[in-house]
Amino acid sequence: MKQDYFTRLALAARWRMPPGEAKELLADYREILEENPRTEEELLRELGKPWTAVRLAADSGAYRRWLAVFAVLSLCLLLPALCTLLPGVWWLFSGAFPHISLEIVLLTAGLALSLAYFQRQGRDPLPVLLPVLLGLLIALCAGVNWWVWRILPGLPLAADRLGPTAKIAYELLGLAASLSGIFGLTAARVYNRRWRALYVLSLAVGVLTCAVLLMLGSMDMEAGVIQWDRYFYRFLGIAAIGLAGTGVALC
Amino acid sequence: MLKRDLIVLCLLRLLKGADRYGYELMRPLREAFPDTKESAVYALLRQLCREGYTEQYQGSASGGPVRKYYRLTDTGGERYAALLEEWRRLRGTLALLGIE
């Protein structure tokens, strides 16, 4: 029973406090609980709920800074995923900044901030599940692109259904990337900083998806034919930055 | 003077007598303030460390296990004296009002 309380206390501490402080608090509580073992009910009564116990002990300024970082990183991740779902966001990407590639700005900002914020704290072993999820995400991204560009044109669909079907496939890919990115971000805070690699790869997949949707939704009739190489190099650049960033985040 | 200040006064008083480890500080305070959660007392102890009134070190007493000990700093001693003075003044005021 005590383990349950301590597990919740550990989760709360790792979410709310910087890693060093969380480790210190958990060591202190372990010592206090070893001196005077108690049941779960006694712990709740005498120490309070784990989240409350951590809130009382945590430095609120550091927690606010983390929330700000979390909000910025989430925004970098979610904006590309929402680009076709909300008209205002589509306008941000396609017309608001004609000389700036907003998706590249978001990729760079998210990558730089995530690498800078989650600093090394002693030895962080590579989580077993992380390479599996990274591989699955890469496979999903490759699979969706293969299906849209190789399989979909051969399906017996009316010509006017091809575009919307491809759009839905990319929207679902963007949604999956957002969910895995948020999971990676949370796990990087709570468990191990190496989980930031999942955030970085998800961000790159989300941004790549957004870039493809922007090309598909472009009203420039020449864009897809004459300027194809420009789009191709942009997609290649995003993929290269994403994979390189994932590699750095794994270190 | 709030209850929080009284708990701080007690923590500083305990540390004025001798260096103590966490549970040694928490146990008497739990008995003195039974309606206050231990997590709140621990939070005050951390705050005292953050503000430089106490400091911590790893140590052991007479061959016992290695624990984190707390000791009072010079500024902690000054804070203790100020809180004690405030407490005496408050007690005097209450006595004048017939509250013993």
Side-chain angles (χ1 to χ4, degrees):
Chain A
M1 289 293 270
K2 195 177 86 178
Q3 186 61 36
D4 290 343
Y5 183 91
F6 200 79
T7 306
R8 281 182 284 147
L9 185 79
L11 275 178
R14 288 178 190 143
W15 172 256
R16 206 169 172 112
M17 301 170 114
E21 279 186 42
K23 202 172 160 186
E24 193 189 345
L25 176 132
L26 293 174
D28 289 350
Y29 267 99
R30 193 172 287 120
E31 191 181 297
I32 290 168
L33 298 182
E34 275 170 7
E35 292 281 348
N36 181 17
R38 284 167 262 192
T39 64
E40 178 90 359
E41 288 73 27
E42 284 170 338
L43 286 171
L44 281 170
R45 191 173 59 247
E46 291 165 14
L47 293 171
K49 290 178 184 168
W51 284 90
T52 311
V54 171
R55 183 174 53 77
L56 287 171
D59 174 12
S60 56
Y63 182 53
R64 275 197 296 271
R65 277 194 294 281
W66 156 241
L67 285 185
V69 169
F70 184 77
V72 171
L73 291 176
S74 300
L75 194 72
C76 292
L77 190 69
L78 294 177
L79 268 184
L82 293 173
C83 76
T84 54
L85 300 176
L86 300 174
V89 181
W90 177 258
W91 174 77
L92 270 181
F93 280 96
S94 60
F97 311 104
H99 302 297
I100 296 173
S101 177
L102 186 57
E103 65 275 21
I104 304 287
V105 172
L106 291 175
L107 175 63
T108 313
L111 179 62
L113 184 58
S114 62
L115 291 181
Y117 188 79
F118 295 106
Q119 298 280 331
R120 185 185 291 271
Q121 295 282 337
R123 286 181 66 233
D124 292 317
L126 186 69
V128 180
L129 193 59
L130 179 56
V132 176
L133 289 181
L134 291 175
L136 276 177
L137 190 57
I138 290 172
L140 183 67
C141 183
V144 167
N145 277 293
W146 177 263
W147 186 80
V148 167
W149 298 103
R150 295 286 178 183
I151 308 291
L152 184 63
L155 293 180
L157 277 177
D160 64 342
R161 295 304 308 152
L162 287 177
T165 308
K167 181 172 170 279
I168 290 170
Y170 277 113
E171 282 171 352
L172 289 175
L173 178 60
L175 186 67
S178 300
L179 292 176
S180 68
I182 293 291
F183 173 75
L185 191 55
T186 308
R189 173 72 173 183
V190 173
Y191 295 114
N192 182 326
R193 78 189 163 88
R194 286 180 195 247
W195 277 104
R196 66 191 174 163
L198 184 61
Y199 169 81
V200 171
L201 187 66
S202 303
L203 178 67
V205 170
V207 164
L208 188 64
T209 303
C210 175
V212 173
L213 283 168
L214 283 170
M215 183 194 75
L216 290 176
S218 170
M219 297 301 285
D220 181 359
M221 297 304 285
E222 294 182 338
V225 183
I226 295 174
Q227 299 176 16
W228 170 248
D229 59 338
R230 202 190 74 190
Y231 281 103
F232 176 72
Y233 287 122
R234 176 179 291 188
F235 300 156
L236 203 64
I238 292 170
I241 293 171
L243 287 174
T246 304
V248 174
L250 276 172
C251 297
Chain B
M1 195 175 206
L2 300 170
K3 186 173 164 187
R4 180 182 175 285
D5 294 323
L6 285 175
I7 296 174
V8 169
L9 178 64
C10 294
L11 280 171
L12 295 175
R13 174 69 190 88
L14 287 169
L15 288 172
K16 196 170 168 59
D19 296 357
R20 289 171 196 265
Y21 60 89
Y23 187 65
E24 251 185 324
L25 287 165
M26 309 285 272
R27 194 183 47 202
L29 282 167
R30 198 177 65 174
E31 285 160 14
F33 300 93
D35 56 337
T36 301
K37 298 232 185 295
E38 271 176 76
S39 53
V41 178
Y42 172 74
L44 286 175
L45 188 60
R46 275 180 73 89
Q47 196 183 342
L48 287 174
C49 267
R50 255 199 316 262
E51 291 170 350
Y53 295 126
T54 62
E55 54 190 21
Q56 54 198 39
Y57 63 93
Q58 294 291 327
S60 65
S62 56
V66 176
R67 294 186 176 105
K68 187 199 278 184
Y69 277 79
Y70 297 86
R71 70 171 152 234
L72 202 62
T73 61
D74 291 343
T75 50
E78 289 165 17
R79 172 107 165 108
Y80 169 70
L83 281 173
L84 187 61
E85 181 57 33
E86 200 181 329
W87 165 243
R88 283 178 177 149
R89 197 170 49 239
L90 181 67
R91 205 174 50 180
T93 308
L94 291 173
L96 282 175
L97 292 168
I99 303 168
E100 293 288 347

